[in-house]
């Protein structure tokens, strides 16, 4: 099976690259903007015509949540137009599509984990463009699986875990918000789930949710990072209003994963267990 993976330089794309070595019978093609501009219709059309892909996994996204508020045009091109083109031209060659989306499509005011059928109500430009991307994928290619995730981190790229490790070693005390709740998600676990969907004999189109098990605030997440890594830094819980940002963050981002676990027989790791794995890998990589 020949598989195209876009956004190869991102956290998820890099984790898929690592796991691709476990699938020697599959041919993986990894691209990013330097090798394939997925916002350019002629490029996408020509690239798909020249390659007999059976599956496209779109990991590319404009994830600068605050910057998207002032750069809506670029965010829309990457998060809405590009998925539309990937869906359109994957359908022309008979390829299935797995598209990665976000918890930001919800308003963040729930009190129970969001299911796939709950009403969407994005607050800002990032969430609005990602929702448009979901809708475009489903409209252009019926053979699409959309996987919404949240609070992604990895040994690759820039993320909350790496930021906390750096700041924790530089400062004796940090203030971290405690009134935003979600599920920290290790990108390596999400990558493994995506490939489990890809290899399933029954590819069931639709929207799914995936994050690690358990619930935490950013404050809890930071405490765990320092505890498990042995960094001596005091964490002070603060309200979100003390950190005003251009884009409003969801107060509640917990996702109900029953559908993806049931459909694809997935076992989802607990967030602290996966955080320990990631931190151990970061520590060993520095040796």
């Amino acid at each position: 099976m020949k598989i195209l993976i876009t956004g190869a330089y991102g956290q998820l794309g890099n984790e898929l690259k690592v796991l691709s070595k476990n699938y020697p019978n599959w041919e993986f093609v990894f691209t990013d903007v330097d090798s394939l501009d997925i916002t350019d219709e002629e490029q996408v059309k020509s690239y798909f015509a020249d390659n007999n892909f059976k599956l496209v996994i779109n990991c590319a996204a404009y994830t600068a949540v605050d910057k998207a508020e002032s750069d809506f045009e670029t965010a829309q091109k990457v998060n809405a137009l590009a998925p539309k083109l990937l869906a359109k031209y994957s359908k022309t060659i008979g390829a299935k599509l797995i598209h990665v989306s976000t918890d930001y499509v919800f308003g963040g005011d729930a009190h129970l984990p969001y299911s796939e059928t709950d009403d969407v109500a994005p607050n800002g430009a990032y969430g609005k463009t990602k929702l448009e991307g979901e809708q475009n994928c489903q409209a252009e290619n019926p053979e699409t699986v959309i996987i919404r995730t949240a609070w992604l981190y990895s040994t690759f790229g820039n993320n909350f875990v790496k930021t906390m490790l750096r700041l924790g070693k530089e400062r004796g005390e940090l203030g971290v918000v405690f009134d935003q709740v979600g599920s920290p998600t290790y990108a390596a676990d999400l990558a493994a789930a995506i490939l489990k969907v890809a290899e399933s004999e029954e590819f069931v189109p639709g929207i799914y949710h995936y994050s690690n098990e358990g619930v935490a605030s950013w404050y809890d997440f930071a405490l765990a990072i320092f505890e498990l890594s042995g960094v001596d830094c005091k964490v002070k819980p603060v309200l979100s209003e003390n950190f005003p940002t251009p884009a409003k963050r969801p107060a509640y981002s917990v996702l109900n994963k029953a559908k993806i676990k049931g459909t694809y027989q997935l076992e989802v790791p607990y967030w602290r267990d996966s955080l320990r794995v990631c931190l151990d890998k970061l520590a060993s990589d520095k040796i």
Side-chain angles (χ1 to χ4, degrees):
M1 180 161 66
K2 191 172 185 179
I3 301 173
L4 171 65
I5 296 178
T6 62
Y9 297 159
Q11 295 186 84
L12 185 56
N14 270 300
E15 294 290 4
L16 283 165
K17 199 175 296 181
V18 171
L19 291 178
S20 68
K21 297 164 187 173
N22 299 331
Y23 296 81
N25 295 327
W26 292 1
E27 180 184 352
F28 290 87
V29 178
F30 293 90
T31 67
D32 217 294
V33 66
D34 58 352
S35 51
L36 175 63
D37 182 355
I38 58 174
T39 68
D40 184 323
E41 182 161 9
E42 287 307 310
Q43 273 198 49
V44 175
K45 181 179 179 180
S46 175
Y47 200 82
F48 278 53
D50 292 340
N51 290 276
N52 187 30
F53 297 118
K54 296 299 181 186
L55 175 67
V56 176
I57 302 174
N58 182 32
C59 304
Y62 185 107
T63 57
V65 175
D66 289 325
K67 192 176 177 183
E69 294 300 312
S70 58
D71 190 16
F72 185 84
E73 184 179 351
T74 305
Q76 190 173 45
K77 280 178 67 177
V78 178
N79 292 342
L81 172 63
K84 180 177 183 177
L85 297 179
L86 292 173
K88 177 180 178 179
Y89 291 103
S90 60
K91 183 184 178 185
T92 64
I93 61 170
K96 297 179 175 68
L97 174 65
I98 297 177
H99 173 68
V100 181
S101 192
T102 175
D103 61 297
Y104 273 72
V105 300
F106 295 112
D109 53 359
H111 302 287
L112 292 172
Y114 282 106
S115 70
E116 292 82 356
T117 55
D118 283 335
D119 291 338
V120 290
N123 289 310
Y126 172 65
K128 289 174 183 175
T129 58
K130 288 295 289 182
L131 177 59
E132 189 179 345
E134 289 186 8
Q135 294 166 341
N136 287 343
C137 286
Q138 290 189 306
E140 295 290 340
N141 189 345
E143 289 294 300
T144 294
V145 162
I146 292 166
I147 302 178
R148 294 172 179 154
T149 192
W151 292 32
L152 213 60
Y153 68 90
S154 169
T155 58
F156 299 100
N158 298 314
N159 52 66
F160 185 79
V161 171
K162 287 187 173 182
T163 299
M164 288 299 101
L165 289 174
R166 175 176 56 80
L167 293 178
K169 291 168 184 174
E170 294 173 357
R171 307 177 190 177
E173 181 177 295
L174 286 174
V176 181
V177 299
F178 71 94
D179 55 352
Q180 294 174 24
V181 178
S183 303
T185 305
Y186 186 23
D189 293 337
L190 176 57
I194 287 172
L195 292 178
K196 187 80 181 290
V197 172
E199 69 179 340
S200 173
E201 290 184 4
E202 289 194 26
F203 185 91
V204 185
I207 298 174
Y208 298 85
H209 290 168
Y210 184 93
S211 63
N212 279 129
E213 297 285 20
V215 178
S217 68
W218 290 110
Y219 167 76
D220 298 320
F221 194 10
L223 280 177
I225 291 166
F226 295 146
E227 175 193 335
L228 296 175
S229 62
V231 172
D232 185 15
C233 180
K234 183 179 180 181
V235 185
K236 183 171 65 173
V238 295
L239 291 165
S240 298
E241 63 188 34
N242 293 319
F243 291 99
T245 55
K248 182 183 177 183
R249 266 61 176 175
Y252 187 85
S253 292
V254 184
L255 301 175
N256 184 328
K257 298 171 283 290
K259 182 180 177 182
I260 198 168
K261 287 193 289 186
T263 304
Y264 293 104
Q265 290 75 56
L266 290 180
E267 291 187 13
V268 181
Y270 176 51
W271 73 266
R272 280 182 62 103
D273 294 338
S274 290
L275 175 60
R276 183 179 288 107
V277 172
C278 180
L279 290 171
D280 287 348
K281 191 170 190 315
L282 281 170
S284 63
D285 285 348
K286 290 178 181 177
I287 296 174

